[in-house]
Amino acid sequence: MSDVGAYYAARLLQKQHKLIYLNLMFNDIGPEGGELIAKALHKNTTLKYLRMTGNKIENKGGMFFAAMLQINSSLEKLDLGDCDLGMQSVIAFATVLTQNQTIKGIYLNRPILYGEQEESTVHLGHMLKENHCLVALHVCKHNMKNCGIKQLCDALYLNRSLRYLDVSCNKITRDGMVCLADVLKSNTTLEVIDLSFNRIEDVGAKYLSETLASHNRSLKALSVVNNNIKGEGLVALSQSMKTNPILSNVYIWGNKFDEATCVAYSDLIQTGRLKPDNTDVEPFVVDGHVYLAEVSNGLKKHYYWRPTYGEVCSQSSNAGSILVPVGPDL
């Protein structure tokens, strides 16, 4: 679907008064088509969830959607991931969301940002201090480093609404975990954190484990997939689950498993502390040694695609939206 199709989608939004979910992901809608759809939402009062994922509306189109959020009072969930948003439009969304009281979940994944100052996270942090309605924030592929995660963590000391923080596919290391571990000691709202595809390593995993073992009793799910964590950090994380009764979902695939790690997670699963559907590994034994195999479970396995068989919305593959439901997810 091109901008011509977007024109008809915009007309649909203007005339159809029962539509609550519109999925236009990965079409060929550009900035002009984005403008048409955004302006159609100025008067629409029924749509709850719009997926524009993968349409290259760019910075220009993003600005129209940001302006729309100043007017629209019904949209609860907006996905503008992989839309080539620019710094200006990301900042515009952060600014608008300090006032918008209806958006519960927003995806701003993979914007096109230049420079190393992480200006976008400064504005997102300010937004989190002011916004008391946003439940889920997805900022994957933001080139976010430790300075950026610190900006978000500083805001989370004051925020009491955010339950799902997705900072996967960034450049966060062990130093960033010092800030996150500290805020988790006092934050009682965060339930799901996605740290997949960063580089927190053993030290970062141990910082989190210490907080989860002794202080935090609100986090339900943690993904540290592909974080260059070795046995020491993974075992520490498994030990924290023995004293923390709330943490139910842990995803660890893509790290460096040693035998101690395999035994630790095998024990958690066999004793029932970690349910097979709530993790992405499964133990098996060869010649008396325990190993871990990958299982297709995770927080958002079906974000970009749907399986050709089995459950369309498997709870074990999309645990994030099950633990923290935000608007209709059809």
Side-chain angles (χ1 to χ4, degrees):
M1 184 188 295
S2 66
D3 288 342
V4 175
Y7 166 78
Y8 291 102
R11 289 190 62 183
L12 175 71
L13 288 170
Q14 292 170 331
K15 294 183 177 182
Q16 172 58 259
H17 300 299
K18 294 184 179 180
L19 191 68
I20 61 171
Y21 173 49
L22 180 59
N23 188 340
L24 297 171
M25 68 184 294
F26 288 103
N27 278 292
D28 196 24
I29 300 171
E32 287 72 24
E35 177 183 355
L36 292 170
I37 292 170
K39 287 184 175 179
L41 288 171
H42 284 198
K43 295 182 179 180
N44 182 287
T45 58
T46 58
L47 195 73
K48 301 294 184 185
Y49 181 17
L50 174 63
R51 288 200 74 175
M52 290 292 293
T53 322
N55 290 287
K56 308 306 180 186
I57 63 172
E58 301 176 354
N59 193 66
K60 178 183 176 183
M63 292 300 291
F64 285 109
F65 275 96
M68 174 271 294
L69 291 182
Q70 293 180 298
I71 301 168
N72 183 286
S73 59
S74 60
L75 197 67
E76 295 179 3
K77 194 172 177 182
L78 177 61
D79 190 339
L80 294 175
D82 301 276
C83 285
D84 289 1
L85 301 178
M87 178 69 78
Q88 183 185 18
S89 54
V90 172
I91 291 174
F93 279 109
T95 303
V96 168
L97 288 174
T98 59
Q99 301 296 325
N100 184 289
Q101 300 296 307
T102 55
I103 286 287
K104 302 293 189 297
I106 191 161
Y107 296 73
L108 298 173
N109 304 333
R110 214 220 70 184
I112 306 298
L113 305 177
Y114 299 98
E116 299 294 326
Q117 294 182 339
E118 301 188 67
E119 187 179 353
S120 62
T121 58
V122 175
H123 291 270
L124 289 169
H126 176 69
M127 177 272 291
L128 288 174
K129 291 177 183 178
E130 301 292 329
N131 185 295
H132 302 294
C133 299
L134 191 68
V135 174
L137 175 64
H138 297 261
V139 283
C140 311
K141 305 173 188 174
H142 264 243
N143 199 32
M144 188 187 303
K145 303 180 185 68
N146 295 325
C147 179
I149 191 68
K150 184 179 184 303
Q151 295 287 345
L152 300 185
C153 288
D154 287 347
L156 289 172
Y157 285 105
L158 302 174
N159 184 282
R160 287 295 177 267
S161 66
L162 196 72
R163 296 168 58 198
Y164 190 156
L165 176 63
D166 181 0
V167 288
S168 57
C169 303
N170 281 295
K171 296 181 178 180
I172 303 166
T173 68
R174 63 181 77 178
D175 294 338
M177 292 305 97
V178 175
C179 304
L180 185 58
D182 193 58
V183 76
L184 285 175
K185 291 177 181 178
S186 58
N187 182 288
T188 57
T189 30
L190 272 174
E191 296 178 14
V192 179
I193 298 178
D194 192 346
L195 289 164
S196 306
F197 299 96
N198 283 284
R199 197 177 178 85
I200 69 170
E201 301 181 312
D202 281 348
V203 176
K206 289 170 71 176
Y207 285 139
L208 290 176
S209 301
E210 289 166 8
T211 293
L212 292 171
S214 58
H215 294 86
N216 185 278
R217 290 298 181 268
S218 58
L219 195 70
K220 296 178 181 178
L222 174 66
S223 178
V224 290
V225 170
N226 283 92
N227 264 273
N228 199 40
I229 307 173
K230 298 177 183 177
E232 188 179 355
L234 293 168
V235 170
L237 195 57
S238 73
Q239 291 295 322
S240 70
M241 293 194 73
K242 293 181 179 180
T243 55
N244 185 323
I246 305 301
L247 185 64
S248 60
N249 297 54
V250 173
Y251 305 97
I252 62 169
W253 186 257
N255 293 293
K256 300 178 180 180
F257 302 156
D258 59 9
E259 189 163 2
T261 300
C262 298
V263 170
Y265 285 88
S266 176
D267 288 347
L268 286 176
I269 293 169
Q270 289 178 358
T271 58
R273 175 60 190 89
L274 182 59
K275 294 181 180 179
D277 283 348
N278 293 351
T279 187
D280 56 351
V281 293
E282 182 180 51
F284 64 98
V285 179
V286 176
D287 295 334
H289 296 282
V290 181
Y291 298 92
L292 296 177
E294 184 182 15
V295 182
S296 188
N297 296 333
L299 293 177
K300 50 174 186 177
K301 283 284 186 179
H302 298 155
Y303 174 69
Y304 286 113
W305 59 282
R306 288 288 187 263
T308 55
Y309 63 92
E311 293 183 63
V312 174
C313 291
S314 167
Q315 293 190 8
S316 60
S317 298
N318 306 284
S321 60
I322 302 300
L323 291 168
V324 183
V326 182
D329 194 3
L330 308 176

